Amino acid sequence: MNYKAITPRVWHLEEDYRDYCTLVRGDKLAILWDTGQGKKDLRAFLEETLDTPYLVLNSHGHDDHIGGNHRFETVYANREDWYMLASYARVTTGEPPAYDVEELNPGMVFDLGGLHARVISLAGHTRGSVGLLLEEEGILLAGDALNPTLLMLGRESAPVSVLKETLAVVQGLPFDKLLASHYPTLQDKKIVRAHLNHLDCLRTEAPSHPGPYGPRICRSIHKESSVRSVIHIDRGLL
Ligand SMILES: [Zn+2]
């Protein structure tokens, strides 16, 4: 397994090319944040690496974050995205998920031993997107919900009004850096403010030619100081 220690307790695991899962290690409990495409046997890796029990959490329900769920007995995910876990299992196996799914709700706190991980709503990219605030590390694990290029692509995404509330709350949280699922290194929190300001000047005219996500999706770009916020958004979410 190719991995990088972001801090001694936070390891970014490259499960597939530019597709990262994160392992958070406390003194008495660990968390695996996302299970990637399912190409690597993360369970075997955890069982070789850890000397504590662990929990498996999903940041949201997209395929490239839940693909390895089937290797585990229990996975925590936000209920709003459970239908994606079910449909992925149906497509890949013809059956409902073979593992148990537990609620992952904003406000839950996992005491890992010397490290507390608080679940935060990051509704926007998907309705059930959540983040994990690692309180003593000052790091937010953000899945895809705060990517500099933010995808809001259809019915699975929340309306813009919800995204705005999410970003306003996240802006006030006590962290400095965030770790996203498709970026190898820590990102600056400034992107949250940039996205929030971007929503006040979002360009929503129909694209002159269809982009990679089809004719309903607008692409809007906003720059402030050194930060570039790009939002691809389904016009139905406006
Ligand atoms: Zn996603």
Side-chain angles (χ1 to χ4, degrees), residues 60 62 65 125 144:
H60 65 297
H62 280 152
H65 300 256
H125 173 66
D144 289 349

Side-chain angles (χ1 to χ4, degrees), residues 8-11 23-27 29-31 49-50 112-113 115:
R9 297 192 287 195
V10 182
W11 294 7
L23 177 60
V24 184
R25 306 190 318 156
D27 296 334
L29 183 65
I31 285 175
T49 306
L50 295 173
L112 307 186
L115 181 57

Side-chain angles (χ1 to χ4, degrees), residues 152-167:
M152 303 277 293
L153 294 184
R155 280 179 303 171
E156 67 209 38
S157 297
V160 166
S161 57
V162 172
L163 175 63
K164 198 166 189 172
E165 284 168 28
T166 294
L167 294 170

Side-chain angles (χ1 to χ4, degrees), residues 178-190:
L178 60 92
L179 199 53
S181 297
H182 301 291
Y183 294 79
T185 55
L186 289 168
Q187 310 284 303
D188 200 281
K189 187 183 181 181
K190 285 180 190 160

